[in-house]
């Protein structure tokens, strides 16, 4: 049904993507600090970018940010979410010599951590730089050099002499610890590197769609959600989806980029290859009617995409699709290198293509489209 493509010109006039402005936006949202359960700074950033374009913004008890673009009364509801939390640590304990032991929030591979810079943020919002301790090879046996240091043996060195100095900084058990990084445009001019692309890039895409739809009359109501606590159990998505009651939902996230020596397993998703449509992961089998609808939209717009299969892990889609009586849901991803580490990489053109694709797909959702998607299961 190509009738849904009418009016494309007006929408694309609103989709002006200035590289410097987009980089400033992505820098702002990725460098905001917010591990699971401590997303306050990220939520403030999310709201800052949602306010000029949303008809209404709500918060819930878990800290989710829910921004509405209202369509016609009784029209379908489309929810698109990106989780605001990042992997990091809490202060677990403070040694007498001032070294800090860490409790992981989300999944870490300890090999990524020694010698990396991290920041402790205390309850007053003050930040203190530290480094994960790494032993010099001179005092390490050949056998020890082959082993990864367990997470429980890692510590953060603030460069203080004792516990009293840590107390004087008002650092307490439970304070948030996040990577200390900068945002970089890499040497090809298209690869971007920062922390927390998992999943600030998903939040950024959802926000960009909200911006694109400003002033556009839609039959559907679009709900742009920044979710919390995804990395520790998809928790914010559960409460926000229960509140929103969407007919259709997209979770935007990242997936493995199959273009480095350690991930050369035949997967199609890779930096610069386009939007990754996740057909299944450990938490969901994406709704086939919704996948077909998104693929048809991508083909019509000549936007590149890949099929994505993730053997381990899940996204917010894993809990959204089981909300109330069930929600037609899929995950839309960007290929990402090195996520769940202090630095990760995505491709700028993949980001822009995802923004264009999701804007057009959501703009055209009406009751006829919803019914057609639903019929794929019957």
């Amino acid at each position: 049904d190509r009738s849904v493509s009418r009016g494309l010109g007006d929408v694309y006039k609103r989709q002006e993507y200035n590289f410097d402005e987009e980089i400033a936006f992505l820098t702002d949202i990725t460098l905001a600090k917010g591990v699971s359960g401590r997303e306050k700074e990220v939520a403030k950033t999310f709201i800052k970018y949602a306010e000029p374009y949303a008809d209404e913004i709500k918060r819930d008890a878990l800290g989710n940010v829910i921004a509405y673009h209202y369509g016609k009364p009784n029209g379908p509801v489309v929810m698109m979410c990106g989780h605001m939390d990042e992997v990091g640590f809490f202060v677990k304990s403070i040694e007498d010599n001032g070294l800090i032991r860490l409790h992981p929030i989300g999944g870490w591979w300890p090999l990524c951590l020694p010698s990396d810079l991290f920041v402790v943020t205390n309850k007053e919002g003050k930040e203190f730089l530290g480094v994960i301790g790494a032993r010099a090879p001179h005092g390490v046996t050949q056998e020890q050099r082959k082993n990864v240091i367990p997470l429980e043996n890692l510590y953060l060195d603030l460069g203080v002499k004792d516990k009293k100095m840590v107390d004087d900084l008002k650092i307490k058990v439970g304070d948030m610890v996040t990577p200390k990084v900068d945002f970089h445009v890499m040497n090809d001019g298209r690869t971007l590197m920062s922390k927390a692309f998992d999943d600030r890039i998903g939040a950024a895409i959802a926000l960009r769609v909200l911006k694109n739809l400003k002033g556009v009359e839609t039959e559907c109501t679009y709900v742009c959600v920044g979710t919390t606590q995804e990395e520790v159990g998809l928790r914010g998505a559960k409460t926000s989806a229960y509140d929103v009651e969407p007919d259709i939902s997209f979770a935007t996230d990242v997936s493995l980029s199959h273009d480095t020596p350690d991930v050369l397993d035949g997967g199609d998703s890779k930096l610069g290859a386009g939007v990754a449509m996740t057909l299944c992961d450990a938490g969901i089998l994406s709704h086939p009617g919704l996948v077909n609808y998104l693929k048809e939209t991508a083909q019509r717009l000549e936007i590149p995409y890949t099929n994505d299969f993730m053997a381990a892990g899940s996204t917010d889609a894993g809990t959204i699709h089981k909300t109330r009586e069930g929600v037609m849901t899929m995950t839309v991803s960007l290929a990402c290198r090195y996520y769940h580490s202090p630095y990760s990489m995505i491709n700028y053109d993949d980001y822009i293509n995802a923004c264009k694709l999701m804007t057009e797909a959501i703009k055209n959702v009406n009751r006829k489209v919803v019914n057609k998607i639903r019929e794929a299961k019957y």
Side-chain angles (χ1 to χ4, degrees), residues 37-48 50-51 56-68 84 223-228 236 239-240 243-244:
R38 303 286 191 275
E39 301 96 345
K40 184 177 180 179
E41 181 182 332
V42 190
K44 287 181 177 179
T45 305
F46 193 99
I47 291 170
K48 179 178 76 172
E51 277 183 332
E56 181 185 3
I57 297 176
K58 295 168 55 177
R59 302 290 303 277
D60 71 11
L62 290 192
N64 298 300
V65 182
I66 306 171
Y68 289 82
M84 299 185 293
V223 190
C224 167
V225 184
T227 60
T228 59
T239 61
S240 57
D243 180 28
V244 171

Side-chain angles (χ1 to χ4, degrees), residues 75-318:
V77 176
V78 181
M79 173 176 162
M80 183 174 175
C81 65
H83 68 85
M84 299 185 293
D85 57 316
E86 62 185 293
V87 295
F89 299 92
F90 287 166
V91 174
K92 182 178 181 180
S93 63
I94 303 169
E95 305 283 313
D96 289 339
N97 60 4
L99 299 177
I100 289 177
R101 296 292 182 176
L102 302 169
H103 178 79
I105 303 298
W108 284 98
W109 188 24
L111 182 66
C112 302
L113 293 169
S115 295
D116 276 313
L117 298 177
F118 280 76
V119 171
V120 182
T121 304
N122 70 12
K123 298 299 187 296
E124 297 177 353
K126 294 182 179 179
E127 299 174 358
F128 302 94
L129 181 66
V131 63
I132 301 286
R135 293 176 63 181
H138 305 72
V140 180
T141 67
Q142 289 297 325
E143 188 61 31
Q144 287 173 327
R145 294 185 192 192
K146 300 176 184 178
N147 299 326
V148 177
I149 303 172
L151 274 173
E152 60 268 23
N153 292 348
L154 295 176
Y155 58 86
L156 188 70
D157 189 339
L158 298 179
V160 299
K161 67 179 182 180
D162 54 31
K163 185 175 182 179
K164 182 180 182 305
M165 291 189 71
V166 179
D167 291 339
D168 290 343
L169 299 176
K170 298 183 179 180
I171 293 174
K172 305 295 183 183
V173 170
D175 284 347
M176 175 175 67
V177 182
T178 51
K180 169 63 175 175
V181 305
D182 296 311
F183 191 102
H184 301 275
V185 178
M186 301 302 286
N187 301 292
D188 61 357
R190 315 311 284 173
T191 301
L192 311 179
M193 184 170 73
S194 186
K195 75 172 180 67
F197 277 129
D198 179 13
D199 181 36
R200 305 290 167 71
I201 195 62
I205 294 166
L207 284 166
R208 198 57 168 85
V209 171
L210 184 69
K211 178 179 180 180
N212 290 342
L213 292 178
K214 177 69 173 179
V216 177
E217 292 186 4
T218 59
E219 181 174 320
C220 72
T221 288
Y222 169 56
V223 190
C224 167
V225 184
T227 60
T228 59
Q229 299 190 44
E230 189 269 359
E231 295 291 0
V232 291
L234 320 182
R235 298 168 186 173
K238 185 172 185 177
T239 61
S240 57
Y242 189 91
D243 180 28
V244 171
E245 295 187 68
D247 295 278
I248 290 172
S249 182
F250 299 96
T252 48
D253 215 305
V254 298
S255 189
L256 287 174
S257 187
H258 299 264
D259 53 7
T260 58
D262 53 333
V263 200
L264 292 176
D265 60 358
D268 294 328
S269 60
K270 58 190 68 175
L271 265 60
V275 182
M277 299 193 187
T278 302
L279 304 185
C280 65
D281 60 30
I284 186 175
L285 303 174
S286 290
H287 193 286
L290 194 53
V291 172
N292 291 340
Y293 172 69
L294 201 60
K295 286 184 176 182
E296 289 167 2
T297 304
Q299 290 163 5
R300 178 161 48 80
L301 300 181
E302 299 182 346
I303 288 176
Y305 67 86
T306 62
N307 295 311
D308 183 53
F309 300 85
M310 192 162 66
S314 187
T315 72
D316 279 337

